[in-house]
Amino acid sequence: MLVEFNTLPDASRIWIYQANRSFTEAELAEIRNELNDFITEWTAHGSQLKAGYEIKYKRFIVLALDQSAVAASGCSIDASVHFIQHLEKKYNVELLDKMNVSYKQGEHIAYKSLIDFKKMAKQKAVSKNTIVFNNLVANKQEYQEHWEVPAGESWHARFM
């Protein structure tokens, strides 16, 4: 069951998929339609899942699932991963590679491999004050409060 992202409870489970590039306006329109269709049909053991999404900065797909009534199952999580893989192929974009880092450079969102980000930290090209995206947040409240944070307040701090 598709619901508005902002109506989901703070405890809703979150999955964040970061793209290695920004989506075009045309791609975003198509992706929104595909997300609407996927979430409308998304189930766990035959029961409708109450979920929503948002797309941030034209490159982050954020899925949220209210597990208070029906929790995600292995099969439903697999279905969401297959859906994301479909988007990767269709739009020739990386969404599942967790070994990359996104961070802000002014208003621009930069995307680097973890190895390159570590090098940049050593060279002081990024600092503990650089705003990074902590895609390891587990629920909607963490997402809203701790997703966009200075690197010094995230798991990225170990490289500073």
Side-chain angles (χ1 to χ4, degrees), residues 25-155:
E25 290 300 327
E27 289 172 332
L28 287 169
E30 290 178 16
I31 290 168
R32 284 185 185 98
N33 286 334
E34 291 193 60
L35 279 161
N36 291 344
D37 292 344
F38 170 75
I39 293 173
T40 299
E41 300 296 321
W42 198 19
T43 61
H45 302 294
S47 297
Q48 281 270 298
L49 293 173
K50 185 177 177 184
Y53 71 91
E54 65 179 8
I55 300 173
K56 297 287 278 191
Y57 302 110
K58 297 182 180 181
R59 68 166 55 217
F60 297 93
I61 297 172
V62 183
L63 291 180
L65 172 62
D66 178 358
Q67 298 196 107
S68 62
V70 179
S73 64
C75 291
S76 63
I77 293 170
D78 286 350
S80 68
V81 171
H82 289 302
F83 171 73
I84 296 298
Q85 288 171 327
H86 155 75
L87 294 179
E88 284 185 317
K89 288 178 187 153
K90 182 172 182 178
Y91 298 102
N92 192 27
V93 66
E94 290 179 20
L95 290 165
L96 291 167
D97 191 341
K98 303 291 186 196
M99 295 306 293
N100 294 305
V101 176
S102 290
Y103 60 96
K104 283 188 173 178
Q105 283 184 319
E107 292 302 309
H108 177 72
I109 306 296
Y111 178 90
K112 298 285 184 195
S113 71
L114 188 56
I115 292 167
D116 287 344
F117 187 80
K118 287 179 188 179
K119 287 178 188 172
M120 291 176 68
K122 283 184 182 176
Q123 298 165 352
K124 308 286 187 219
V126 291
S127 73
K128 64 182 181 180
N129 297 319
T130 299
I131 300 298
V132 295
F133 296 92
N134 178 9
N135 296 324
L136 300 179
V137 294
N139 62 46
K140 184 179 168 193
Q141 182 173 3
E142 287 179 11
Y143 165 68
Q144 291 173 325
E145 296 174 1
H146 303 292
W147 178 56
E148 285 185 59
V149 293
E153 296 175 20
S154 176
W155 63 268

